[in-house]
Amino acid sequence: MSTNRPSSGIELFDRAGIDNPYPLYRQLRDIGPAVWLERHGLWCVPRYKDVKAVLGDHRRFTTSQGVAMDPAVNAATSGPGKANSLTSDPPFHDKMRRVTGAPLLPGALKDIQDTIHETARKVVDDICARRRVDGMADVAHVLPLTVVSELVGLPAYGRESMLRWAAATFNAMGPMNDLGKQALVEIQELHRFCREDAVPGKLKPSGWAARIYDAAGRGEIPIEQCPGMMREYIGPSLDTTIFATGHLLRLLGEHPDQWRLLKDDRTLIAAAINEALRMEAPIRSFSRYVRETSVFDDVAIPAGDRLLVLYASANRDERKWERPDDFDITRNPRDHLAFGFGIHTCAGMHLARLEITALLTALLDRVERFDVGTPEISYNNTLRGYASLPMTVHPA
């Protein structure tokens, strides 16, 4: 076995690391295919090839013991009665994914496509009238917080708290720094809500969340799994789409040449979305538990260790992409890893694409160009996105 053990004292989770992690990712990629993070006592894989290999091998690199960095958080979110499809292996993963993923499949989304596009047009009409807006609150937030939260069908307090709980959930997936510790109280509130309030009689009968209990009633899943599965609709359905939309707005606002390309050729819409996801992955990292000793080139990671999968680093790996720090919508990087890869690929990616495509189409219809100011970073251990994005709209 190789004795090569590359290591680094790089800190990815302080304010500087959250503000601009990309130079740090490059340093890690240059150190090796797998790097021991001295500050956190776990490995990371920073290169595209290795990240994809880990994500594609759920047997060796399992999520069934959690995807956080902290052992207590992993214990609280995995195992019988606590897991969801992200923190489980087949065959149980497949049973849960069939339930929670069903309304998110392309065929099912056809039923809400018109509503999504109509709402997007109203959003763009509004910002064209106002001219100076916040690209996050006035654009990126609207579809997830209106259409999608209504489709999930939680009680009113749950809908109002979804963003707050989602941010806390993702903060707890990182180290137990100040952000992680502050998140724990809100996560306890979320878990109580899932056990006591997100239940039949309080859920919207036709909503996505109610389908979880319907499936339990049919014997497809154990009823004790329902609260854990409920969390799948509270976090990932909102923040990741909101932040991906914000990144696309900033990138197109800062690169008017790319906006003009898109105005001239709408067949590039999907490519523009893919390139923004590659450039700015909304989820920076999740962890995996290593079930058996695994070798990355000349670096061996022992069984029983934990490794951090750096999606955002992989998406800017110069071994995979030419000019990885350049925003180029003609690139169309369909094999980016912002939505993951393998059996745990993001179940909501089709919904996210539908929402972002609807907004972008409406913007292209009504807006000649738009300018953006300096975004305010949203500080989170796992997510990368903005709290606000100044935006000036110039209607066509």
Side-chain angles (χ1 to χ4, degrees):
M1 183 186 301
S2 169
T3 58
N4 189 23
R5 188 182 173 89
S7 64
S8 173
I10 281 175
E11 174 57 87
L12 295 173
F13 301 97
D14 59 6
R15 288 183 75 89
I18 294 173
D19 278 336
N20 184 17
Y22 297 108
L24 303 177
Y25 293 150
R26 180 156 194 158
Q27 290 178 45
L28 290 171
R29 291 194 300 269
D30 288 344
I31 291 171
V35 181
W36 179 257
L37 295 176
E38 298 165 357
R39 292 173 181 263
H40 302 293
L42 80 173
W43 295 88
C44 73
V45 283
R47 298 177 183 173
Y48 180 93
K49 178 190 72 164
D50 306 303
V51 167
K52 191 170 185 178
V54 169
L55 296 176
D57 189 347
H58 67 272
R59 293 175 179 84
R60 277 198 299 165
F61 308 103
T62 182
T63 68
S64 65
Q65 297 190 41
V67 295
M69 295 172 64
D70 182 74
V73 173
N74 284 326
T77 55
S78 59
K82 297 176 289 186
N84 54 36
S85 66
L86 175 59
T87 55
S88 59
D89 286 329
F92 199 40
H93 160 274
D94 300 338
K95 292 180 180 179
M96 288 191 282
R97 181 75 174 238
R98 276 195 293 270
V99 174
T100 56
L104 300 170
L105 293 172
L109 291 174
K110 288 180 181 177
D111 293 339
I112 64 169
Q113 187 170 322
D114 290 345
T115 301
I116 293 285
H117 278 275
E118 181 183 353
T119 306
R121 286 191 291 270
K122 290 178 180 177
V123 169
V124 174
D125 287 345
D126 174 62
I127 65 171
C128 283
R130 294 166 57 193
R131 302 292 183 96
R132 291 191 176 183
V133 298
D134 180 351
M136 301 307 297
D138 299 321
V139 185
H141 281 208
V142 179
L143 282 169
L145 289 181
T146 54
V147 178
V148 177
S149 66
E150 182 65 23
L151 289 167
V152 173
L154 297 176
Y157 180 68
R159 291 198 304 274
E160 294 162 4
S161 303
M162 286 173 82
L163 273 184
R164 177 168 58 86
W165 287 337
T169 299
F170 283 111
N171 265 325
M173 295 298 163
M176 273 301 115
N177 55 12
D178 287 344
L179 290 172
K181 292 173 184 174
Q182 291 164 9
L184 295 180
V185 172
E186 294 193 343
I187 289 174
Q188 289 170 359
E189 180 190 352
L190 165 62
H191 286 195
R192 282 196 304 273
F193 174 83
C194 289
R195 290 193 308 269
E196 299 170 9
D197 295 296
V199 294
K202 296 183 179 181
L203 294 169
K204 181 181 176 182
S206 58
W208 295 349
R211 294 168 61 114
I212 295 174
Y213 278 97
D214 292 344
R218 295 190 298 269
E220 296 172 16
I221 52 171
I223 195 163
E224 61 268 20
Q225 291 297 142
C226 292
M229 293 172 66
M230 201 65 61
R231 299 197 306 271
E232 296 190 44
Y233 286 141
I234 291 175
S237 62
L238 298 182
D239 283 62
T240 49
T241 304
I242 288 170
F243 285 163
T245 303
H247 291 312
L248 179 61
L249 292 174
R250 179 185 67 80
L251 288 164
L252 287 172
E254 289 181 350
H255 297 85
D257 59 319
Q258 300 296 298
W259 173 252
R260 178 49 55 188
L261 277 175
L262 202 51
K263 289 280 282 184
D264 292 341
D265 183 2
R266 294 199 185 190
T267 65
L268 292 172
I269 286 177
I273 295 170
N274 282 331
E275 179 67 347
L277 287 163
R278 182 195 68 80
M279 285 284 293
E280 295 279 8
I283 294 179
R284 301 169 67 200
S285 59
F286 277 142
S287 79
R288 296 290 191 270
Y289 178 81
V290 183
R291 275 188 169 143
E292 60 185 68
T293 298
S294 302
V295 179
F296 297 86
D297 294 346
D298 61 343
V299 181
I301 298 183
D305 280 6
R306 186 166 286 275
L307 62 82
L308 200 60
V309 184
L310 299 180
Y311 305 86
S313 175
N315 275 349
R316 294 214 192 184
D317 187 357
E318 46 285 309
R319 294 157 191 79
K320 167 67 176 175
W321 319 103
E322 292 184 11
R323 302 172 291 104
D325 296 325
D326 291 351
F327 178 61
D328 177 5
I329 68 171
T330 66
R331 190 197 306 266
N332 197 12
R334 286 186 290 261
D335 51 351
H336 69 78
L337 300 175
F339 287 131
F341 180 74
I343 68 167
H344 295 294
T345 298
C346 174
M349 68 177 181
H350 303 298
L351 175 60
R353 289 188 188 281
L354 172 58
E355 294 177 73
I356 300 171
T357 298
L359 272 173
L360 196 48
T361 300
L363 284 167
L364 290 166
D365 286 343
R366 290 289 320 276
V367 175
E368 180 60 28
R369 64 181 178 86
F370 60 92
D371 308 312
V372 294
T374 302
E376 177 189 348
I377 296 290
S378 176
Y379 287 94
N380 192 283
N381 280 329
T382 299
L383 297 172
R384 176 163 174 79
Y386 312 128
S388 65
L389 176 66
M391 184 173 169
T392 302
V393 179
H394 304 274

